[in-house]
Amino acid sequence: MTTTPTTPDGRRSDAAIDVQDLHKYFGDNEVLKGIDFHVGHGQVVCVIGPSGSGKSTLLRCVNMLEVPTSGKIFVEGEEITDPDADVDKLRARIGIVFQSFNLFPHMTVLRNLTIAQQKVAGRKKAEAVEIARANLAKVGLEEKETAYPAHLSGGQQQRVAIARALSMQPDLMLFDEPTSALDPELVGDVLAVMKDLASEGMTMMVVTHEMGFAREVGDNLVFMDGGVIVEEGDPRAVLGDPQHERTQAFLSKVL
């Protein structure tokens, strides 16, 4: 692990996301066991590992969808785990895309992209529509603005979900296995959108099973198992020559 500059309060000064000694229990089950982890500004960090390793719990803790049992999380220098933190304000900086698309089925694509802009961000309708259309174009779906989710493929729905998150103009994006619910032939379109975001400098934390994406786009790769980080480093190095026996065993089954 590389050494990075820290501030007097102990956080990494160059980190967009800084997780320190994070523990999470569900009842007696400790799912996260002292995670230390960070994502630099403009970096793409991919998190891999077997089911039940704590990957998604870690991601959900970053924007407080799951409340950590102990430890600290800083988002762009502000501690989101502080009891006095304005969590909603900090959460507004973070876009999140889940494996299930979570679109409103009774609303058109365009309305799915404008409702939070108007009700949460307080934007006027015309501004919200302009931003929504720009993001639909970004994901290649500008012609689908009047369609309803049921009329879209799974890959198209996921691209709409990404456009919806981008329409809130976040500073960073979290992806929780965004392609795992898709048919194999639909995965490529979603990954292409994510690659474009990375090339534009979007800070991204991606929980994924897509090793090709991690190798090609990731700046750092984290392998988790049993609630701990087992190995991390340059994706090409970790995937090509894993050092830990557990990493070797996992990758031998998925590569």
Side-chain angles (χ1 to χ4, degrees), residues 74-129:
F74 295 89
V75 176
E76 296 190 316
E78 295 189 50
E79 189 189 343
I80 196 169
T81 45
D82 187 323
D84 297 323
D86 186 340
V87 172
D88 289 337
K89 182 180 178 182
L90 289 171
R91 197 180 271 154
R93 301 180 186 177
I94 307 169
I96 186 164
V97 177
F98 301 96
Q99 50 185 301
S100 54
F101 320 123
N102 294 339
L103 300 176
F104 296 115
H106 60 293
M107 295 181 183
T108 64
V109 164
L110 188 65
R111 187 59 179 144
N112 265 281
L113 268 65
T114 58
I115 184 168
Q117 291 191 68
Q118 292 178 257
K119 293 189 177 296
V120 178
R123 294 176 190 147
K124 302 291 188 187
K125 181 179 179 181
E127 181 187 9
V129 168

Side-chain angles (χ1 to χ4, degrees), residues 94-104 108-110 112-113 135-136 139 141 149 152-168 170 173-175 178 182 190 193-194 197:
I94 307 169
I96 186 164
V97 177
F98 301 96
Q99 50 185 301
S100 54
F101 320 123
N102 294 339
L103 300 176
F104 296 115
T108 64
V109 164
L110 188 65
N112 265 281
L113 268 65
N135 283 301
L136 284 175
V139 302
L141 291 173
L152 304 177
S153 71
Q156 289 172 330
Q157 289 186 60
Q158 191 62 293
R159 283 149 64 197
V160 170
I162 293 172
R164 178 179 60 182
L166 292 174
S167 291
M168 295 301 286
M173 291 282 290
L174 309 177
F175 292 88
L182 302 179
V190 173
V193 169
M194 294 170 65
L197 287 178

